[in-house]
């Protein structure tokens, strides 16, 4: 076994990590921010990370990507399902967008030690003598034990019969979330009064679950939004002969609660100093005219100084350095260096290499890229370290950047109609 620390936002780092790999298991989500300030939604971040991984897998000739996603509801169209589940489906499609065979296992709640959903249930039972359950806790689902999930994953690895296919996995037992709370309380030996109420909004549920479930609100919010759906296994998407015997919820809960049944320790990478006050900003833009990333990057170079013609000048030298200057100043506010060997029609990469608004010149980068076959364009700044004091930055420069990128998106939307 070889452990590697990977910067998943970097295509280069991800590509290097996958060298010599035959099969990759993708277990990534980005509901928790990886920088001090994260401007952008988790679904846009997940989209970018999946695109990075798909590119890296294709570059290394990976034979198969095994992806663990979420069961999809059957009672509503894709456009109306929760953002969390819609994002899981989007990641599934993005991983397959560069030609690597993908096998998707769509699961509901996975019951095992360390599992975020089961940990929330466990903490709620442990802390509350009475649980007032809102209407969404009567939604039905099929949980699955961690043991059974791992066995199915093993049976899929290297199995060419499941390439380019998606399966939904869950134990045959269909339960409501309220019933799972009751069964977990029994497994814990706790007497709890668990009752349903016809009110209690999803918004209040998020606060309730986050506080008493001891789970960050950014993780709870999308998960609770998904629980309003019926998430049961479709017969035509079941794994069939890949798995025929399952633990029921009572058995799964007892295994998950067993103090001797712990997750193995992961290594600690201690030799690298973390950079403080880093910023990531990711914005998704529609690309209905299927413009290239090269075209969008060039339009941005022209649009920004034009939009701020009363305030900003832009100058580009022969090396590809682009500086943005305040009025007639000789020192750039921000300097970007185009990286030609890591740029192409579908992705344009610029290192942040100078400027009096920047604290570190060897760390951050700006990119424009196509994703999902050109359906969207993503603009992203990674690991930017501002020079301004943090509180000043978040209330001035950070807000202005977000406003500027939203204006640029509107410009691109308007441009397509004016052509």
């Amino acid at each position: 076994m070889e452990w590697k620390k990977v910067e998943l936002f970097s295509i280069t780092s991800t590509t290097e990590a996958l060298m010599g790999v035959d099969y990759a298991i993708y277990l990534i989500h980005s509901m928790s921010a990886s920088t001090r300030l994260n401007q952008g939604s988790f679904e846009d971040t997940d989209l970018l990370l999946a695109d990075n991984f798909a590119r890296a897998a294709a570059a290394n000739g990976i034979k198969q990507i095994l992806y663990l996603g979420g069961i999809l509801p059957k009672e509503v169209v894709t456009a109306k399902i929760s953002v969390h589940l819609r994002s899981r489906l989007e990641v599934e499609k993005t991983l397959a967008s560069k030609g690597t065979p993908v096998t998707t296992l769509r699961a509901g709640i996975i019951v095992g030690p360390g599992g975020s959903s089961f940990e929330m249930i466990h903490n709620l039972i442990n802390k509350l003598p009475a649980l007032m359950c809102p209407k969404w806790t009567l939604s039905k689902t099929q949980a699955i034990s961690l043991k059974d999930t791992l066995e199915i994953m093993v049976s899929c690895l290297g199995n060419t019969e499941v390439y380019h296919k998606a399966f939904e996995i869950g134990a045959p037992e269909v339960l409501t979330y309220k019933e799972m709370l009751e069964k977990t309380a029994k497994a814990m030996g706790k007497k709890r009064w668990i009752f349903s109420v016809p009110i209690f909004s999803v918004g209040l549920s998020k606060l309730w679950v986050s506080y008493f479930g001891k789970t960050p609100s950014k993780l709870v919010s999308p998960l609770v939004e998904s629980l309003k759906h019926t998430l049961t296994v479709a017969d035509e998407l079941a794994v069939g002969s890949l798995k025929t015997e399952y633990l029921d919820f009572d058995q799964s809960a007892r295994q998950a609660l067993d103090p001797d049944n712990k997750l193995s320790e992961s290594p600690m990478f201690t030799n690298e100093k973390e950079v403080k006050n880093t910023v990531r900003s990711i914005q998704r833009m529609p690309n209905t005219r299927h413009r290239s990333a090269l075209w969008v990057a060039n339009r941005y170079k022209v649009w920004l100084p034009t939009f701020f013609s009363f305030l900003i000048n832009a100058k580009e030298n022969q090396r590809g350095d682009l500086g943005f200057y305040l009025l007639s100043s000789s020192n750039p506010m921000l300097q970007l260096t185009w990286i030609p060997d890591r740029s192409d029609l579908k992705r344009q990469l610029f290192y942040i290499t100078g400027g009096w608004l920047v604290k570190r010149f060897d760390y951050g980068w700006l990119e424009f890229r196509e994703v999902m076959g050109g359906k969207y364009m993503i603009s992203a700044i990674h690991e930017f370290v501002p020079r301004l004091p943090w509180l000043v930055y978040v209330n001035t420069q950070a807000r202005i950047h977000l406003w500027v990128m939203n204006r640029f998106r509107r410009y691109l939307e308007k441009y397509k109609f004016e052509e």
Side-chain angles (χ1 to χ4, degrees):
M1 182 181 292
E2 179 183 0
W3 289 93
K4 298 181 181 181
K5 183 176 181 179
V6 183
E7 172 53 85
L8 284 165
F9 288 97
S10 165
I11 293 177
T12 302
S13 178
T14 309
T15 302
E16 289 174 354
L18 291 178
M19 286 181 179
V21 173
D22 293 315
Y23 307 101
I25 303 173
Y26 194 80
L27 303 171
I28 305 302
H29 73 73
S30 55
M31 293 178 192
S32 299
S34 57
T35 52
R36 187 173 181 185
L37 176 65
N38 189 49
Q39 291 180 316
S41 63
F42 78 85
E43 60 268 25
D44 291 352
T45 305
D46 274 341
L47 177 60
L48 184 146
L49 291 175
D51 188 69
N52 271 358
F53 202 84
R55 289 168 180 257
N60 282 291
I62 297 290
K63 297 177 182 178
Q64 178 195 28
I65 297 173
L66 180 59
Y67 168 56
L68 190 61
I71 291 180
L72 299 177
K74 317 301 184 297
E75 73 274 18
V76 294
V77 296
T78 302
K80 292 187 177 182
I81 65 177
S82 71
V83 174
H84 171 236
L85 293 175
R86 193 163 64 243
S87 174
R88 297 288 85 194
L89 179 61
E90 195 171 66
V91 168
E92 179 182 323
K93 293 178 179 179
T94 302
L95 289 173
S97 65
K98 305 302 179 185
T100 303
V102 173
T103 301
T104 300
L105 300 176
R106 300 172 183 163
I109 288 181
I110 298 177
V111 183
S116 55
S117 296
F118 184 73
E119 284 295 314
M120 283 190 289
I121 292 174
H122 170 260
N123 289 330
L124 288 171
I125 295 295
N126 197 44
K127 297 200 74 171
L128 296 172
L131 288 87
M132 184 170 60
C133 296
K135 187 177 179 180
W136 58 261
T137 61
L138 299 179
S139 298
K140 295 180 178 180
T141 189
Q142 287 173 252
I144 185 170
S145 71
L146 177 59
K147 176 179 179 293
D148 291 334
T149 302
L150 293 174
E151 289 177 359
I152 293 172
M153 292 173 72
V154 169
S155 68
C156 289
L157 279 176
N159 183 351
T160 57
E161 293 184 2
V162 301
Y163 286 9
H164 308 289
K165 292 182 180 180
F167 301 93
E168 294 183 342
I169 61 174
E173 186 180 26
V174 178
L175 298 170
T176 65
Y177 296 101
K178 179 173 176 286
E179 288 171 332
M180 283 191 277
L181 286 166
E182 293 168 340
K183 287 177 174 289
T184 303
K186 183 178 179 181
M188 293 172 64
K190 302 279 189 181
K191 291 185 178 180
R192 294 293 183 256
W193 183 31
I194 303 172
F195 60 98
S196 299
V197 292
I199 53 175
F200 206 12
S201 69
V202 171
L204 286 173
S205 297
K206 293 174 185 177
L207 294 174
W208 173 67
V209 174
S210 177
Y211 182 76
F212 292 106
K214 296 200 285 190
T215 308
S217 58
K218 288 185 178 180
L219 178 60
V220 167
S221 183
L223 291 178
V224 170
E225 286 283 353
S226 301
L227 301 184
K228 63 187 178 183
H229 300 301
T230 297
L231 301 177
T232 52
V233 175
D235 291 340
E236 66 274 14
L237 294 175
V239 294
S241 60
L242 290 177
K243 178 73 175 173
T244 56
E245 295 184 4
Y246 296 83
L247 298 178
D248 61 25
F249 189 87
D250 292 326
Q251 294 169 316
S252 303
R254 285 196 295 270
Q255 281 198 1
L257 296 167
D258 185 346
D260 295 326
N261 188 15
K262 297 180 180 179
L263 297 175
S264 56
E265 293 292 329
S266 297
M268 298 295 292
F269 296 88
T270 57
N271 295 328
E272 297 181 22
K273 292 183 179 180
E274 296 292 334
V275 178
K276 295 181 179 180
N277 294 352
T278 53
V279 178
R280 178 167 289 110
S281 186
I282 299 172
Q283 287 79 43
R284 180 193 311 214
M285 305 176 185
N287 191 28
T288 53
R289 293 294 286 257
H290 290 273
R291 294 294 188 181
S292 68
L294 176 60
W295 183 90
V296 172
N298 285 332
R299 291 311 304 176
Y300 183 72
K301 293 179 189 178
V302 174
W303 172 84
L304 185 61
T306 302
F307 183 70
F308 288 102
S309 58
F310 62 94
L311 193 62
I312 295 176
N313 293 315
K315 299 176 184 178
E316 188 170 9
N317 62 26
Q318 293 181 343
R319 294 185 308 170
D321 294 339
L322 177 67
F324 295 100
Y325 298 81
L326 183 64
L327 299 175
S328 58
S329 171
S330 59
N331 294 321
M333 296 185 297
L334 180 69
Q335 181 172 291
L336 304 173
T337 299
W338 179 53
I339 310 300
D341 61 334
R342 295 184 181 178
S343 300
D344 53 40
L345 280 174
K346 296 184 178 182
R347 181 183 184 241
Q348 291 289 296
L349 177 66
F350 302 84
Y351 286 163
I352 300 171
T353 54
W356 51 262
L357 287 175
V358 185
K359 189 172 184 179
R360 285 193 59 171
F361 303 151
D362 61 341
Y363 204 60
W365 69 97
L366 164 71
E367 64 173 320
F368 295 92
R369 72 161 77 184
E370 300 176 27
V371 291
M372 296 192 74
K375 182 179 180 181
Y376 300 110
M377 190 68 61
I378 281 185
S379 165
I381 288 180
H382 300 282
E383 306 297 345
F384 175 72
V385 183
R387 183 176 294 276
L388 290 174
W390 185 252
L391 288 178
V392 175
Y393 169 78
V394 296
N395 289 293
T396 56
Q397 187 183 344
R399 293 176 182 269
I400 292 171
H401 169 74
L402 198 56
W403 178 75
V404 167
M405 295 314 299
N406 286 332
R407 296 288 298 190
F408 183 56
R409 182 180 67 243
R410 292 179 191 175
Y411 164 77
L412 294 178
E413 291 171 345
K414 183 180 178 182
Y415 189 92
K416 73 187 180 190
F417 292 115
E418 291 182 346
E419 280 191 310

